[in-house]
Amino acid sequence: MTTEKNEVLISVRGLEKHFKGGELKALRGVDADICRGEVVVVIGPSGSGKSTFLRCLNLLEQPTAGTISLAGVDITDPTVDINLHRQKMGMVFQHFNLFPHMTVLRNMTIAPIKLLKKSREEAEAKARSLLERVNLEDREDAYPSQLSGGQKQRIAIVRALCMEPEVMLFDEPTSALDPEMVGEVLDVMKELALSGMTMICVTHEMGFAREVADRVLFMDEGKIVEEGTPEEIFSSQKEQRTKDFLNKVL
Amino acid sequence: MSIFEQWWLPIAELVENRQPLNFFQNLYKEIYMNAIKDDRWLLYLDGLWVTLKVSFFAILAGTLLGTVLAVLRLPSVTDYRYRGNHPLKKLGFGVLRFFCWFAKFYIDLIRGTPLLLQVLIINFGVFGSIRIDKVIIGVIACALNSAAYVAEIVRGGIMSVDPGQTEAGRSLGFSGLATMLWIVLPQAAKSALPSLCNEFIALIKETSILSYIALTELTKAGDYIRSRTYSAFTPYIISGMLYLLLTLILTTLIRKLERRLRASDH
Amino acid sequence: MKKLIAMLLALTLGLTAAVAAAEPVVVALNPEYPPFEYVENGEIVGYDVDLIKAVAEKAGFEVEFNAMAFDSVISEVMANKNTIGVSGISITDERKMNVDFSEGYINAGLIVVVKEGSGLAVKDDLKGKKIGAQLGTTSDFAAEEITGQANTETYKTFLDAIKDLQGGRLDAVIVDKPVGMALLAGLKDDSLVIVDMGLQADWYGIEVNKENPELLEKINAALKELEASGYYEELAVKYFSAEEEAKAE
């Protein structure tokens, strides 16, 4: 796959998000550009607004101010069909959010069948090939309640991939996992990064950030305080706040 | 002459001569008068059929309407997370707010007034001068009533579903309505099913109120036979047993459905 | 607290005393049937009410009124030895199997209420038409005889039948003559007319429990005395003249 690393896919300008009628300002003006094929990891202390930032990107949270463009289209414009654009942005949640009343296969095929109007055979073939990629090909008939946390999260990732998104958003995908299951999920994410997928990950896994990220954003108090390559952030931070945070977590 | 009439003859003679009957003779007299004579058992079956028809369609329509009301009342509708300053969005939000208010008003109104009055008002007021089948009036009255109760049950079911489910559905690109339909409601139905079953049983029994508008359903069939035989309560016992039969069948069906829905949690 | 106990005691004693003193005869009736029995200013009044009060006075017992649906009256009488039914009840053979009847005290006949201009004039016109009546009354039986059970709609009170007639869901309502007269006079609905098709009614009688022949005897004796004294005519003037006038207009 040939990807133009400098083609801007997502462009965020002046993003603000207030809760409780402005009492709580979760985002205070965030600007960012994410290029196609880029892997961006967002780190920061809890309450820094990094999850809110991610959830604003596909408008699960409606921004209070600012614009978000996806491939040149301003999706904060109310006349834009957000459902269509969400199809291009896969999202993986901390708590997996698999549909408990559907089998694994159904979880993965319902959206392609209903939204992309794929035939059942086509959708299932795609789902099975993805299940193979995450070594869960034998669990297609299982219900989510029969899976371990790590398996659930891997299914959640491939469920999003079934929609063939242009970008994947990860919202602390390993935070709810038992430690021994973190590895299997990170492996899937690494493989995905290598395949050239555009990824934005909010995570506490500094090892993953250092190893896989093209760029790291450090957020605090609703702003991007510092950004740069993993080396720049982890080894030669410019900002005192970044230093303090990394001292605590590393 | 059938065997039942042959059994009846000696007892009829006793009654004619005002002789006292023993317990079994009396029991047979009641059964003969209230179920066998003039093929009266057919009247119960007719009544049962009407009750079944009314209940079935009222449950169906009431559940649909109740679900719509439940969805309209959801806080996510009042919050209308995706509202913006665009005039169209503002208008849409206003309409939704009105529906939400209306749903609340409707539920309070229906739950706060007796079904009997609602039935009488719908029959003599709303449809006062329209010549339509009483079965249809019965279905409409019972469905409108049941919808209010179903709405609250379904709303409880929806609120018991993790909000993450909605987020997952929306993030895949489903519209709010589609998310509700494919993802939230099936899960809500599972937790609401026992309460819904209660409501359905109550509805079947409450159709008896339709006897007030001269609809010959099961209770009215008992009333009718009683007015011909002057039995104190035997026709009611027969009608009652048929109601019990109906509700037991419904309960069994719903338990089966519950077991099927539970297939996903092992 | 003491006061409360004293009050309760007094109440209990008072009640027992009342029960012991005189056990009134309970009159079961359906006071939705003017002019025979209806509620006016919160009191049950009417032809039957005056009659049974006069009977009670002559026979020397107290009465207590108990309102209910018409089709419950007979079962109340059957179940309680001390209950009588006075509710415009026609004497029929079937009913006689279950209760005793006093001598009949009035025979008014049945009339048919139809819509103005319906063209329904004689009994045969009613065949196959939807006829309404109050459940369990002679009107109900007459309607069923004329048009069959499937076309007879029976109501808890005949007023509901009249409402459905007004709404166009029935073709006719059969009702006791004096009741129909009183009703039309009261309704002032010009779209309804009364047709006398010569439908036979039975005599109205007082229902008495089969195990209380002493009471039946007392009532019959009192009725005989009242009839001889011209009381029936008096009642007729009081309750039916208004309708006769309305008819004459």
Side-chain angles (χ1 to χ4, degrees):
Chain A
M1 201 194 273
T2 56
T3 47
E4 294 266 351
K5 278 248 172 180
N6 42 17
E7 182 203 345
V8 174
L9 184 63
I10 297 176
S11 171
V12 179
R13 288 292 172 269
L15 189 65
E16 294 198 24
K17 175 65 190 177
H18 303 167
F19 290 104
K20 298 177 185 167
E23 233 175 87
L24 189 76
K25 294 191 167 76
L27 297 178
R28 306 158 180 254
V30 175
D31 300 296
D33 287 312
I34 287 104
C35 295
R36 202 179 279 277
E38 195 177 22
V39 177
V40 175
V41 171
V42 185
I43 60 171
S46 55
S48 60
K50 53 193 192 304
S51 265
T52 307
F53 169 65
L54 196 74
R55 291 161 58 83
C56 276
L57 290 182
N58 66 353
L59 263 58
L60 278 187
E61 302 288 355
Q62 174 75 18
T64 311
T67 60
I68 299 160
S69 310
L70 176 69
V73 180
D74 177 9
I75 59 173
T76 55
D77 180 347
T79 56
V80 161
D81 183 358
I82 184 62
N83 298 324
L84 222 54
H85 287 87
R86 284 210 186 101
Q87 294 176 13
K88 302 175 199 161
M89 308 163 114
M91 188 157 193
V92 177
F93 299 88
Q94 185 179 349
H95 294 287
F96 331 127
N97 297 350
L98 292 179
F99 306 136
H101 57 303
M102 300 176 189
T103 61
V104 164
L105 198 63
R106 184 77 180 142
N107 259 283
M108 296 173 67
T109 54
I110 181 167
I113 290 173
K114 303 252 182 234
L115 298 172
L116 301 182
K117 307 291 172 208
K118 281 194 183 182
S119 71
R120 170 175 294 270
E121 293 73 38
E122 198 187 344
E124 284 182 354
K126 167 95 182 162
R128 288 202 176 100
S129 77
L130 280 165
L131 280 175
E132 225 166 288
R133 240 170 95 182
V134 294
N135 300 322
L136 286 170
E137 60 272 23
D138 54 338
R139 304 313 306 270
E140 64 171 61
D141 290 323
Y143 282 96
S145 56
Q146 297 163 301
L147 303 175
S148 73
Q151 290 175 324
K152 280 183 199 172
Q153 197 60 298
R154 283 186 279 160
I155 297 293
I157 294 170
V158 287
R159 175 177 73 176
L161 289 176
C162 278
M163 289 297 285
E164 293 164 3
E166 294 181 26
V167 54
M168 287 284 287
L169 311 175
F170 292 85
D171 188 4
E172 306 198 19
T174 54
S175 301
L177 293 176
D178 290 336
E180 75 270 23
M181 294 175 179
V182 170
E184 58 190 80
V185 172
L186 289 181
D187 285 345
V188 170
M189 291 170 66
K190 272 177 214 163
E191 201 227 279
L192 193 59
L194 286 175
S195 77
M197 175 61 74
T198 315
M199 291 165 64
I200 304 172
C201 315
V202 170
T203 184
H204 295 292
E205 296 296 329
M206 296 305 153
F208 175 81
R210 203 184 294 227
E211 192 181 333
V212 183
D214 294 315
R215 189 148 55 100
V216 176
L217 307 183
F218 172 71
M219 284 185 72
D220 195 17
E221 292 177 352
K223 281 184 180 154
I224 296 175
V225 175
E226 190 171 355
E227 61 173 286
T229 61
E231 286 95 83
E232 286 168 344
I233 296 292
F234 290 107
S235 316
S236 55
Q237 322 84 345
K238 297 186 202 91
E239 298 286 331
Q240 187 57 40
R241 274 191 281 177
T242 318
K243 234 175 247 169
D244 292 345
F245 172 72
L246 287 172
N247 279 340
K248 269 182 222 153
V249 296
L250 290 178
Chain B
M1 188 180 280
S2 76
I3 182 89
F4 297 113
E5 277 156 34
Q6 281 170 21
W7 288 345
W8 168 242
L9 285 178
I11 302 174
E13 203 164 312
L14 288 176
V15 173
E16 196 61 32
N17 297 326
R18 308 205 164 202
Q19 299 291 311
L21 303 180
N22 68 30
F23 175 79
F24 294 103
Q25 288 167 330
N26 205 30
L27 183 69
Y28 188 70
K29 177 193 163 198
E30 287 297 313
I31 294 172
Y32 179 80
M33 294 298 290
N34 290 300
I36 300 168
K37 192 170 175 246
D38 301 337
D39 280 340
R40 283 184 171 134
W41 57 277
L42 283 172
L43 295 172
Y44 296 103
L45 291 191
D46 288 346
L48 180 68
W49 176 234
V50 171
T51 295
L52 195 65
K53 270 194 291 190
V54 171
S55 304
F56 178 79
F57 289 110
I59 285 175
L60 210 69
T63 307
L64 278 177
L65 180 62
T67 307
V68 172
L69 286 172
V71 171
L72 288 177
R73 271 207 66 183
L74 287 180
S76 62
V77 171
T78 31
D79 287 353
Y80 198 41
R81 187 185 287 162
Y82 308 110
R83 83 184 120 142
N85 290 325
H86 192 272
L88 266 179
K89 287 240 159 181
K90 272 190 165 166
L91 180 74
F93 182 59
V95 170
L96 279 177
R97 276 258 296 257
F98 170 77
F99 278 141
C100 177
W101 171 86
F102 175 79
K104 258 187 228 170
F105 170 77
Y106 180 85
I107 290 165
D108 288 345
L109 180 77
I110 293 292
R111 291 200 308 176
T113 52
L115 174 61
L116 176 56
L117 297 190
Q118 294 162 14
V119 167
L120 291 176
I121 290 169
I122 288 174
N123 184 59
F124 293 117
V126 180
F127 293 110
S129 50
I130 304 169
R131 202 165 186 159
I132 55 171
D133 196 335
K134 289 253 164 78
V135 170
I136 297 174
I137 294 182
V139 168
I140 292 173
C142 288
L144 287 178
N145 178 273
S146 186
Y149 293 91
V150 169
E152 289 300 271
I153 293 168
V154 172
R155 191 168 71 100
I158 291 174
M159 301 219 298
S160 75
V161 176
D162 176 11
Q165 291 290 312
T166 306
E167 290 186 349
R170 298 303 305 261
S171 77
L172 282 169
F174 283 109
S175 67
L177 192 66
T179 307
M180 187 52 76
L181 219 56
W182 301 116
I183 291 151
V184 179
L185 281 180
Q187 298 179 53
K190 195 167 85 177
S191 63
L193 212 49
S195 310
L196 277 178
C197 181
N198 265 345
E199 168 54 24
F200 295 160
I201 286 173
L203 174 65
I204 289 179
K205 292 182 299 179
E206 280 175 355
T207 56
S208 67
I209 274 176
L210 299 173
S211 63
Y212 275 82
I213 57 166
L215 180 66
T216 311
E217 40 65 72
L218 197 42
T219 301
K220 185 58 177 291
D223 257 345
Y224 173 86
I225 288 165
R226 202 165 154 260
S227 76
R228 264 66 182 164
T229 63
Y230 309 111
S231 274
F233 54 82
T234 310
Y236 291 154
I237 290 189
I238 297 174
S239 295
M241 289 196 299
L242 291 173
Y243 276 113
L244 189 62
L245 185 73
L246 271 191
T247 53
L248 286 180
I249 291 172
L250 178 79
T251 313
T252 314
L253 288 179
I254 290 194
R255 289 213 179 111
K256 273 208 173 121
L257 183 63
E258 266 179 74
R259 225 169 298 141
R260 258 191 57 192
L261 286 177
R262 241 184 284 135
S264 58
D265 27 76
H266 290 271
Chain C
M1 192 61 205
K2 263 184 189 166
K3 247 187 183 170
L4 191 74
I5 292 172
M7 265 171 63
L8 277 175
L9 251 170
L11 203 67
T12 330
L13 284 176
L15 275 177
T16 1
V19 169
E23 225 181 295
V25 172
V26 178
V27 177
L29 79 180
N30 171 235
E32 296 176 71
Y33 213 53
F36 285 100
E37 40 271 318
Y38 54 103
V39 178
E40 199 171 78
N41 303 326
E43 291 228 15
I44 299 176
V45 294
Y47 186 107
D48 283 344
V49 176
D50 284 3
L51 179 74
I52 195 59
K53 278 181 179 162
V55 166
E57 205 183 302
K58 283 257 188 276
F61 57 83
E62 297 283 316
V63 288
E64 189 183 282
F65 292 95
N66 187 6
M68 63 192 67
F70 182 79
D71 54 330
S72 300
V73 171
I74 192 164
S75 7
E76 276 295 309
V77 176
M78 285 162 65
N80 302 298
K81 194 179 165 195
N82 208 30
T83 297
I84 59 174
V86 188
S87 196
I89 305 166
S90 303
I91 304 169
T92 64
D93 286 343
E94 282 160 302
R95 284 179 183 151
K96 271 189 188 163
M97 280 175 68
N98 297 286
V99 290
D100 282 338
F101 272 100
S102 73
E103 298 300 323
Y105 57 87
I106 189 170
N107 184 345
L110 301 175
I111 46 116
V112 184
V113 186
V114 296
K115 284 248 185 186
E116 173 91 72
S118 68
L120 301 171
V122 295
K123 196 171 153 183
D124 278 351
D125 293 344
L126 293 179
K127 277 206 176 99
K129 293 279 187 288
K130 278 241 178 273
I131 304 179
Q134 183 163 334
L135 180 66
T137 59
T138 35
S139 310
D140 173 8
F141 302 141
E144 194 169 308
E145 209 184 297
I146 295 169
T147 193
Q149 193 223 322
N151 282 322
T152 305
E153 302 264 298
T154 52
Y155 295 80
K156 289 272 176 200
T157 86
F158 81 100
L159 262 170
D160 287 338
I162 294 289
K163 293 277 171 240
D164 268 358
L165 175 66
Q166 287 176 316
R169 289 192 216 143
L170 293 174
D171 299 305
V173 173
I174 298 181
V175 67
D176 288 290
K177 190 170 177 183
V179 178
M181 299 296 218
L183 168 82
L184 276 230
L187 267 183
K188 306 202 190 313
D189 180 348
D190 291 335
S191 72
L192 298 182
V193 289
I194 286 178
V195 185
D196 194 335
M197 299 185 183
L199 299 181
Q200 281 305 301
D202 298 288
W203 284 85
Y204 284 180
I206 296 170
E207 284 180 345
V208 182
N209 186 290
K210 274 186 183 295
E211 279 158 39
N212 205 344
E214 309 85 41
L215 184 61
L216 180 66
E217 229 163 84
K218 275 194 217 168
I219 290 173
N220 273 333
L223 283 175
K224 208 168 260 177
E225 266 184 64
L226 288 171
E227 191 182 2
S229 71
Y231 186 66
Y232 288 1
E233 284 78 33
E234 221 176 282
L235 280 182
V237 170
K238 181 173 174 191
Y239 285 102
F240 304 145
S241 61
E243 290 89 59
E244 295 297 322
E245 276 161 32
K247 199 179 155 195
E249 270 172 30

